[in-house]
Amino acid sequence: MELQPSQWGSLERIVTQALAGSSRSLSQMTTGEIQLLAPQLSFVRLENLPALAGGPAAVVVGVYLAITGELQGHVVLLFRPENARGLVDLLLGQPPGTCRELDEIARSALAEVGNVCGSAFMNALADRTGLKVKPSPPVVMEDMAGAILDAVVVQLSITDEEALVISTSFNGALPGHFLLMPDNRSMARLVAALEAMR
Amino acid sequence: MTIVETEVVGLGEVRVASRPEQVLVCYGLGSCVGVALYDPVARIGAMVHVVLPDSSMARGRDAPPGKYADTGVEAALEAIVKAGASRSRLIARAAGGARMLSLAGVNPKLDIGARNAEAVRKALARHGLHLVAEDMGGTYGRTLHLYIATGRLLVTTVGRGEREL
């Protein structure tokens, strides 16, 4: 996806606002402070997404949400397993290393991260562009990156697409990727809305 | 120690292997289906990494034949026969076709995994290929290894162990 510098600027402002909103909400949920830092934005071809997570066979933790409304598509939060567990410890105020497997509590904590970040992103988007979108309830999966992504990618790859990837880290220590995958028409609509933000 | 040569079969690809040290691998199949054809006498194998059920979904774009169940099975069959396998000896096995996003309230019409699985069964039947074993469906990913020397087909999962087909 070729974006004009002004469109990149608009996108960066949305992402910054979304991450600030996420940080605020996550911090309120927990005893400590959680900051989502230093986002890096890029467009990645769908078939190259598993490589972000260490290749299609690498085990990852994914939190999936569908987007509906004026934009349609998918959001996936992708973490290496150890970082997902670290994030659970952070959220539950436990000493690092406490969470060893994704039990029900850990899964619901990660689902909440999906809810919070998904909503923050949709809110920032609505706020800045006027596009109204809402996320579905989140699904938490721990599986091979290829397997988690192919079901999502398949629905889009019919039209040959790219995903917007926002790479960030929780408190500078726990990296994660936000994959935003609007369908073809929604991507065009998003780009037009970014243009209008100038 | 046996030297193993791994050949990765990526999304939409078809690969044939005939040397005993070769192993054909489909990594991280979710809704995708890996189809393995094998001639146990000639010891030749083929694998295709099917992404979508039907080539009519291509909408006129250039897509690799391996991407779709109908054209993928055909392409794998042609390739393995061309490499010297006997059509009548071929055994077919398939794995994948999971429903990864089952909890999301995703439209069941979008259960590409189930549609891929069904399309693969139909395509194999259409070519008179006998599906001797399958491991399809569920809600989890699979990696598939086809060992050319022995014809062993190994399905590995995350947290659900491994099994042979």
Side-chain angles (χ1 to χ4, degrees):
Chain A
M1 179 64 57
E2 292 287 328
L3 287 187
Q4 302 301 317
S6 62
Q7 293 170 326
W8 271 114
S10 301
L11 193 55
E12 275 165 6
R13 288 201 293 282
I14 292 172
V15 170
T16 304
Q17 183 178 338
L19 295 188
S22 302
S23 301
R24 205 161 45 240
S25 303
L26 289 172
S27 297
Q28 281 165 3
M29 275 170 56
T30 59
T31 49
E33 179 86 358
I34 297 183
Q35 290 289 338
L36 286 160
L37 298 166
Q40 290 188 325
L41 273 61
S42 55
F43 283 96
V44 176
R45 290 192 58 79
L46 295 177
E47 63 267 29
N48 296 333
L49 286 177
L52 280 177
V59 177
V60 296
V61 174
V63 184
Y64 168 84
L65 308 110
I67 317 170
T68 54
E70 292 184 82
L71 298 180
Q72 313 240 331
H74 315 272
V75 174
V76 180
L77 279 60
L78 213 55
F79 303 96
R80 286 180 171 282
E82 65 271 24
N83 293 329
R85 287 163 178 64
L87 186 55
V88 169
D89 288 332
L90 197 62
L91 288 163
L92 300 180
Q94 303 172 155
T98 307
C99 176
R100 286 166 182 269
E101 58 172 335
L102 293 190
D103 56 13
E104 207 173 319
I105 294 168
R107 280 173 188 270
S108 76
L110 290 172
E112 206 44 40
V113 175
N115 270 330
V116 164
C117 297
S119 307
F121 201 90
M122 306 305 145
N123 288 341
L125 205 59
D127 197 33
R128 299 256 177 186
T129 66
L131 290 170
K132 290 190 176 48
V133 281
K134 69 174 195 212
S136 73
V139 186
V140 178
M141 296 170 273
E142 183 171 27
D143 211 317
M144 303 163 193
I148 289 179
L149 290 170
D150 78 11
V152 174
V153 161
V154 149
Q155 293 175 28
L156 300 168
S157 70
I158 304 167
T159 47
D160 271 328
E161 306 244 3
E162 288 175 315
L164 170 63
V165 177
I166 304 161
S167 300
T168 180
S169 81
F170 292 76
N171 287 357
L174 302 166
H177 300 287
F178 289 54
L179 317 181
L180 183 69
M181 295 173 275
D183 67 21
N184 216 12
R185 204 183 318 164
S186 299
M187 185 66 106
R189 196 173 284 174
L190 175 61
V191 170
L194 293 175
E195 182 63 27
M197 267 176 68
R198 292 170 67 182
Chain B
M1 196 185 135
T2 331
I3 297 164
V4 169
E5 202 180 292
T6 301
E7 293 268 343
V8 178
V9 187
L11 289 170
E13 287 183 347
V14 177
R15 294 272 162 121
V16 176
S18 54
R19 284 180 285 119
E21 64 272 22
Q22 284 179 301
V23 183
L24 294 174
V25 190
C26 276
Y27 285 117
L29 297 163
S31 60
C32 293
V33 175
V35 184
L37 302 179
Y38 188 71
D39 177 339
V41 176
R43 295 185 192 276
I44 302 176
M47 203 181 259
V48 53
H49 188 146
V50 168
V51 181
L52 290 166
D54 192 336
S55 58
S56 66
M57 296 167 92
R59 294 181 190 170
R61 284 166 191 264
D62 282 341
K67 191 168 173 182
Y68 307 96
D70 54 346
T71 50
V73 166
E74 194 176 323
L77 175 60
E78 266 174 31
I80 196 171
V81 167
K82 196 174 163 196
S86 156
R87 196 184 165 115
S88 61
R89 285 195 301 254
L90 288 179
I91 55 166
R93 288 163 290 180
R99 190 174 185 188
M100 300 301 296
L101 308 173
S102 58
L103 303 173
V106 170
N107 185 344
K109 205 175 67 182
L110 297 179
D111 185 1
I112 293 281
R115 289 170 59 197
N116 279 340
E118 195 45 41
V120 161
R121 290 186 196 106
K122 275 189 185 153
L124 290 169
R126 193 161 53 240
H127 292 286
L129 292 167
H130 184 39
L131 183 60
V132 296
E134 63 164 71
D135 177 23
M136 298 204 274
T139 56
Y140 52 91
R142 297 164 172 93
T143 285
L144 211 52
H145 287 81
L146 175 63
Y147 295 85
I148 299 305
T150 57
R152 178 173 181 241
L153 187 70
L154 190 65
V155 182
T156 51
T157 64
V158 174
R160 291 166 193 269
E162 56 180 51
R163 66 192 76 99
E164 272 186 48
L165 284 187

